[in-house]
Amino acid sequence: MPQLPAPAYPAEVRARLEADAKEVIARYPGSRSALLPLLHLVQAEEGYVSRTGMAFCAELLGLTTAEVTAVATFYTMYRRRPSGDYQVGVCTNTLCAVMGGDAIFDRLKEHLGVGNDETTEDGKITLEHIECNAACDFAPVVMVNWEFFDNQTPESATRLVDDLLAGRTVEPTRGAPLCSYKETARILAGFPDERPGAVEASGGAGPASLAGLRLARGEEPHPRVVAPRGESPHGESGPADTPQGRRPAAGPAAEEGA
């Protein structure tokens, strides 16, 4: 059945969004180039890209709602329905999958009682499997609101989501401190992250990613960066802490289970 026209934003919400949108549009020589950040902007308002948000973007950019919908449905970072405060994504692409990503995803589905792209009843966590996030040297990787949690196992990932559900502080392995999904969307729209120390926090590539660069520069070979199966990365014999022979990254969840 045909849908009724999307309802408009309340006047005060529209005035605030319009001021932000004009700031974004002014950054581009062609206004339609601002569509991607504007979709993040409306997602920051409602937690997903609603029909109201798409109509708003179309009006300000002189596009049709069909053109906006085509973009919003193409990119997976745009949610099409309400989602949780924390978007928990498990990489199930090739390397992460064989290193344990599929097992992590199956464990979290069972533990949270949700399927792919579904949200817990309390509205806190939306679970989804995601494609490669260019962190293969930290596989298997879990992301929360696009921040990295590296070298995960089913057990550490379960502790991670339990911490999120309980409201405990969770720190990514690298990168900026964790914030809500709406706050993340506003940052992706191009507005500054004003949290103290957030901009300074960063995380670079791991040793395995940089091995080729070091060799190209003629630097001394780096020590082995991945321990053989059954041996910890510190050279100790015996069973390792993970099936991959590597310890999960340090963090609140890992320390709590230590």
Side-chain angles (χ1 to χ4, degrees), residues 3 6-9 13 17 36-57 68 72-73 75-87 117 119 123 126 145-146 180-186:
Q3 291 181 304
Y9 284 122
V13 173
L17 287 177
L36 296 182
L38 283 195
L39 287 171
H40 283 299
L41 177 65
V42 296
Q43 186 158 256
E45 181 64 31
E46 301 181 81
Y48 72 110
V49 178
S50 66
R51 293 172 55 239
T52 297
M54 288 190 283
F56 173 82
C57 293
V68 175
T73 56
Y75 293 102
T76 58
M77 290 180 72
Y78 299 123
R79 307 292 302 168
R80 293 300 311 282
R81 56 186 178 184
S83 59
D85 297 329
Y86 300 103
Q87 189 82 16
D117 202 25
T119 303
T126 297
N145 295 348
W146 309 115
S180 73
Y181 189 62
K182 289 182 179 180
E183 291 171 322
T184 301
R186 183 170 176 82

Side-chain angles (χ1 to χ4, degrees), residues 97-109:
V98 300
M99 297 291 280
D102 284 342
I104 292 172
F105 188 55
D106 290 342
R107 173 72 67 85
L108 292 186
K109 285 193 294 184

